[in-house]
Amino acid sequence: MTHQTILDVTNRIVERSKETRQSYLKKINEQAGQGKGRGQLSCGNLAHGVAASCASEKNQILDFTRSNLAIVSAYNDMLSAHQPYKDYPDQIKATLRKSGNTAQVAGGVPAMCDGVTQGQAGMDMSLFSRDLIAQSTAFSLSHNLFDGTLLLSICDKIAPGQLMGALTFGHLPTAFIPAGPMATGITNEEKVSVRQKYAAGEVGTEALLDMECNAYHSPGTCTFYGTANTNQLVFEAMGLMLPGSAFVPPNTKLRQALTDHATTKIAAMNVSSSSHRPLHQVVDEKNMVNGIVALLASGGSTNHTIHMVAIARAAGIILTWQDISDLSDIVPLLIQVYPNGPADINAFEQAGGVPVLLKRLNQSGLLNSDVSPVFGSFEQQMTSPKLVNDELVWEDCGESTNPDVISLPKASFQETGGTRMLNGNLGKAVIKVSAVAKEYQVIEAPAKVFTSQHDVETAYQHGDLNCDCIVVVNYNGPAANGMPELHKLMPILGNVQKAGFKVALVTDGRLSGASGKIPAAIHVSPEALHGGAIGLVREGDIIRLDCQTGTLENLTDTNARRFAHIDTETSQQTWGRDIFKVMRENVSSAELGASFLY
C-alpha cells in the first residue's frame, strides 16, 4: 500500500499544476497532432536533411514507414564520463540498419565539468549551462526529421538540461543512453585525507596531483556519489532509461547490449505501435515524486533540489522545496555511498544497484506504482539485466548483496532522507545531512562573513578560522555570479572541524553532492543580491543552524541595518562570463529552479 504522504504530496502537486500541466500537454498534443515530423517538411527541407547521407540511408529516411531517431550527444574527449560516447552514434546506426531504420546526430550540446572548473572562473557559468543545454537540445530537435530521441549525457547540468530540452518535443519517445562509471581507484578516505593535508600545508602540489590522478584515472563517470551519478540514479528511478542500466561499466558486452536494446525499442515506438510511449506520458507528477524519493533515499546531490524543480517546470509541473522536505520526513536513507559512507558507486552497483533500491522503496510503499516508464512496466524497473549466451535478459533483482551499502528490508541507515529543507529569518535553504554526524547537526556560533570562497581560504591560512564559527558566504547566488559550487571550502572547514571547533557553512551558493561531513546550509533564498536576509549578516552575528528542527536563524537583531552595495558584475566581465549577463539578469531563485527559461 502506498504511504499516505506519497499520495498527499503527489495529489497536491497535481492540483497545484493543473493549469500549467494542461497548457504543456495542449502544446505537446498539438505537435503530435500534426503527424510525423518528416511529413510536414517540403521537398527542399527533406533534401537538405538527407544531403550528407549515403544512398541507402537517404532512401530509408525518405521512407516515412521507417523510424529515424535523433541522437543528441554531449560527447567530448576531455570529460571522462562523456568520452565513451565517441563511438555510440556508429553503434546506434549499425543496430538500426538491421531493422531498416536510421538515426542521425541531430546535434551536440556543451558539456562542462565542475571538477575541472572548481574554484575557477568557468564555475560561474556552470549552472547556466543547464538552460543553454536545454536550448541546444531543442535546437537539435527543431529540424523535425525525427520519430524518437536518444539522449547521450551523464554529468551535472548536462543530463537535466537535455531532459528539459527534450520535453519541448515531448510527443517523441525519448530515452537516456548511459555510458557507466570508471573503475574504482583509490579509496575515498585517502582522497579526503590528502586534500585536507594540502589545505593545511602538510603536503605539496605534487602529492595532491598524484592523488587526484589516481582518483580520476580513466573513461567513465567519477565514482563518488555526486551530481553526475545522482542524475543516473534518479533518471533510472524515473524510468527514463532501461532498468539496471545506469551503472554498468563502459566498454563491456553488457553495456553494448543495453545500448543496442534501447535503440531498437525506441525505434519500434512508432505512433501506430502499441508500444508507443512519448516522453510526456513518462514524465508526470507521479514520476517526478518517484525520482525525488530515490534522490532522498540515496542521499543524492543537493543540486537536484534545483534541477528537479526546473525539470518539473519544463513539463508544466509546479514542484516546491516544501514538497521535497515533506517527502524527506518519511523517506529513510537506504544507501551508504561516498560522501555518505566509504563505498563508491561501483560497490552500489555490485550490491544490486538501482533495481534493488527501487524494490526496497516499493516494499515500504514509498513509490507511485501507477507510472509509465519508457521501457516496460513499473514492476520491470525492479529487474536486473544480464547476458545469457550473449542474449540480454532481465531477472528479478533480489535483495541487497551488501547491507553496508544498500540496506536490507526493514533496515535503514537513517530514519529520514539525506536532504532537508531549512527555514527561518535568513530565508529558505537546503542541507545534506546524510553524512553529518549527530553532534554537528545543531550549531550556534558567531558568523564569519565573506563574499568569496577564496577569501575564506585566505582567512584560514591566516588562522582566522581557529574558533567556533559559522562561515557565511553571501553574494554567490544565481543572479550575483551564477551560483558557483564552493568546493574549496570543504577541505578547509573539514580541518577546522578536525581541530575540535564547531563549524558550519551558510551560503546562497552551491556545493552539489560533495558537501560531506560539514553542516552546510546552501542555496539560501532569497539570495543576497535580491534582498535576502543573508546579505544583512555581519561579522559576529550569532547564527543558529539546526538540522533536526529544520531552522536557520540569525539571532542578532538586523532591523536597523541596510544592505551594503556589493558590485558583483565587475568581476563577471572576463573568461567568457560577460556574455552570460542576460542570464544573471533574468534567472529565477534557486527555490524556483535557478532558470532563465521558466
Side-chain angles (χ1 to χ4, degrees):
M1 182 177 295
T2 306
H3 194 289
Q4 189 61 45
T5 299
I6 300 294
L7 296 174
D8 290 344
V9 171
T10 302
N11 289 336
R12 80 183 184 209
I13 295 172
V14 170
E15 186 64 28
R16 183 192 305 132
S17 307
K18 273 186 176 179
E19 289 187 16
T20 51
R21 180 65 175 172
Q22 185 178 9
S23 176
Y24 170 76
L25 293 176
K26 181 175 182 292
K27 173 183 69 176
I28 297 302
N29 287 328
E30 286 176 356
Q31 291 174 192
Q34 294 182 37
K36 187 179 282 283
R38 279 169 289 162
Q40 303 169 43
L41 304 184
S42 71
C43 293
N45 296 150
L46 289 167
H48 278 83
V50 300
S53 302
C54 67
S56 60
E57 186 180 71
K58 186 178 296 187
N59 289 334
Q60 289 169 337
I61 295 174
L62 295 177
D63 180 350
F64 294 176
T65 66
R66 301 176 187 272
S67 291
N68 184 41
L69 302 186
I71 301 171
V72 182
S73 178
Y75 164 74
N76 66 48
D77 63 6
M78 183 196 72
L79 303 188
S80 63
H82 294 98
Q83 188 269 355
Y85 283 133
K86 178 181 179 182
D87 298 323
Y88 272 47
D90 289 341
Q91 178 186 337
I92 289 166
K93 291 179 182 183
T95 297
L96 291 173
R97 202 173 295 126
K98 298 172 185 176
S99 58
N101 296 309
T102 53
Q104 294 174 291
V105 178
V109 302
M112 69 181 297
C113 175
D114 290 353
V116 177
T117 58
Q118 284 176 23
Q120 307 300 317
M123 178 60 79
D124 294 353
M125 297 182 282
S126 174
L127 183 57
F128 292 145
S129 76
R130 184 199 63 197
D131 287 12
L132 181 62
I133 289 161
Q135 292 175 318
S136 299
T137 302
F139 273 129
S140 300
L141 297 174
S142 68
H143 295 100
N144 211 16
L145 280 161
F146 311 111
D147 304 296
T149 309
L150 302 178
L151 301 174
L152 276 54
S153 68
I154 290 174
C155 285
D156 297 20
K157 318 304 174 296
I158 310 159
Q162 281 197 344
L163 179 55
M164 290 165 66
L167 281 163
T168 66
F169 284 75
H171 61 291
L172 298 178
T174 301
F176 277 94
I177 307 295
M182 68 176 68
T184 300
I186 64 173
T187 66
N188 290 305
E189 290 91 339
E190 183 179 353
K191 183 165 60 175
V192 172
S193 174
V194 174
R195 286 175 177 171
Q196 290 185 337
K197 287 178 180 177
Y198 178 78
E202 296 172 14
V203 300
T205 303
E206 185 177 345
L208 180 65
L209 181 59
D210 181 65
M211 179 279 292
E212 297 287 6
C213 287
N214 283 316
Y216 309 108
H217 57 87
S218 68
T221 316
C222 305
T223 59
F224 75 96
Y225 191 44
T227 308
N229 285 323
T230 303
N231 283 338
Q232 300 304 288
L233 186 149
V234 169
F235 288 175
E236 183 177 326
M238 292 173 66
L240 291 166
M241 60 180 72
L242 284 170
S245 66
F247 301 118
V248 174
N251 304 315
T252 59
K253 285 188 176 181
L254 181 56
R255 176 86 277 159
Q256 181 172 346
L258 289 165
T259 298
D260 290 346
H261 187 80
T263 296
T264 302
K265 287 291 186 181
I266 292 292
M269 290 183 187
N270 56 65
V271 175
S272 59
S273 168
S274 60
S275 65
H276 181 65
R277 194 165 294 173
L279 183 60
H280 75 85
Q281 292 181 5
V282 176
V283 179
D284 63 9
E285 297 89 344
K286 295 176 181 179
N287 165 280
M288 290 295 304
V289 167
N290 284 1
I292 293 162
V293 168
L295 167 71
L296 296 168
S298 61
S301 169
T302 52
N303 274 328
H304 284 75
T305 61
I306 298 175
H307 295 330
M308 295 297 277
V309 171
I311 290 167
R313 287 177 177 268
I317 299 166
I318 302 174
L319 172 71
T320 70
W321 280 0
Q322 189 60 52
D323 298 327
I324 299 173
S325 186
D326 289 349
L327 291 171
S328 182
D329 288 341
I330 57 101
V331 175
L333 183 66
L334 302 179
I335 293 174
Q336 282 196 139
V337 179
Y338 182 82
N340 306 331
D344 69 5
I345 205 69
N346 291 309
F348 170 70
E349 175 68 8
Q350 291 158 12
V354 181
V356 168
L357 171 63
L358 294 181
K359 186 174 184 178
R360 281 284 291 105
L361 290 167
N362 192 46
Q363 289 168 341
S364 302
L366 294 173
L367 294 174
N368 289 303
S369 59
D370 50 341
V371 293
S372 299
V374 175
F375 304 103
S377 65
F378 170 74
E379 290 72 23
Q380 288 173 313
Q381 288 189 263
M382 287 162 277
T383 61
S384 298
K386 63 186 298 185
L387 287 174
V388 179
N389 297 322
D390 289 333
E391 291 292 323
L392 185 59
V393 298
W394 273 265
E395 299 176 348
D396 183 274
C397 64
E399 305 294 348
S400 170
T401 61
N402 187 343
D404 292 328
V405 176
I406 305 177
S407 69
L408 293 171
K410 299 183 180 179
S412 66
F413 300 113
Q414 187 174 289
E415 291 183 2
T416 58
T419 302
R420 292 206 66 175
M421 305 301 120
L422 302 175
N423 209 341
N425 63 12
L426 282 175
K428 295 181 180 179
V430 171
I431 190 164
K432 185 172 181 176
V433 296
S434 48
V436 178
K438 288 283 187 183
E439 61 266 29
Y440 299 126
Q441 291 190 6
V442 180
I443 292 186
E444 186 175 307
K448 294 278 189 178
V449 185
F450 307 89
T451 58
S452 165
Q453 63 178 328
H454 309 298
D455 293 339
V456 179
E457 183 179 35
T458 300
Y460 170 73
Q461 291 167 346
H462 290 165
D464 296 339
L465 300 184
N466 293 328
C467 58
D468 291 350
C469 61
I470 291 185
V471 173
V472 177
V473 183
N474 52 24
Y475 292 92
N476 277 252
N481 61 354
M483 204 181 189
E485 292 185 352
L486 308 177
H487 282 295
K488 268 192 167 186
L489 300 181
M490 287 302 97
I492 293 169
L493 300 185
N495 282 343
V496 174
Q497 186 185 78
K498 189 176 178 181
F501 300 108
K502 292 183 178 180
V503 64
L505 173 68
V506 175
T507 181
D508 47 12
R510 294 185 296 128
L511 265 180
S512 84
S515 54
K517 299 177 181 179
I518 306 301
I522 59 178
H523 306 175
V524 173
S525 298
E527 64 175 285
L529 191 70
H530 283 176
I534 188 174
L536 293 175
V537 179
R538 301 290 182 264
E539 197 86 5
D541 285 3
I542 303 301
I543 307 296
R544 182 176 177 83
L545 192 166
D546 190 330
C547 300
Q548 297 170 5
T549 61
T551 55
L552 178 64
E553 297 276 345
N554 187 347
L555 303 182
T556 306
D557 185 2
T558 62
N559 286 330
R561 292 180 184 171
R562 296 292 180 266
F563 285 92
H565 175 69
I566 304 293
D567 177 13
T568 58
E569 196 58 32
T570 297
S571 66
Q572 296 292 304
Q573 299 309 304
T574 57
W575 302 107
R577 293 171 293 181
D578 47 331
I579 62 174
F580 287 81
K581 182 179 180 181
V582 66
M583 299 179 184
R584 290 190 292 275
E585 291 178 339
N586 292 282
V587 69
S588 65
S589 70
E591 186 184 5
L592 297 179
S595 175
F596 59 86
L597 300 177
Y598 303 101

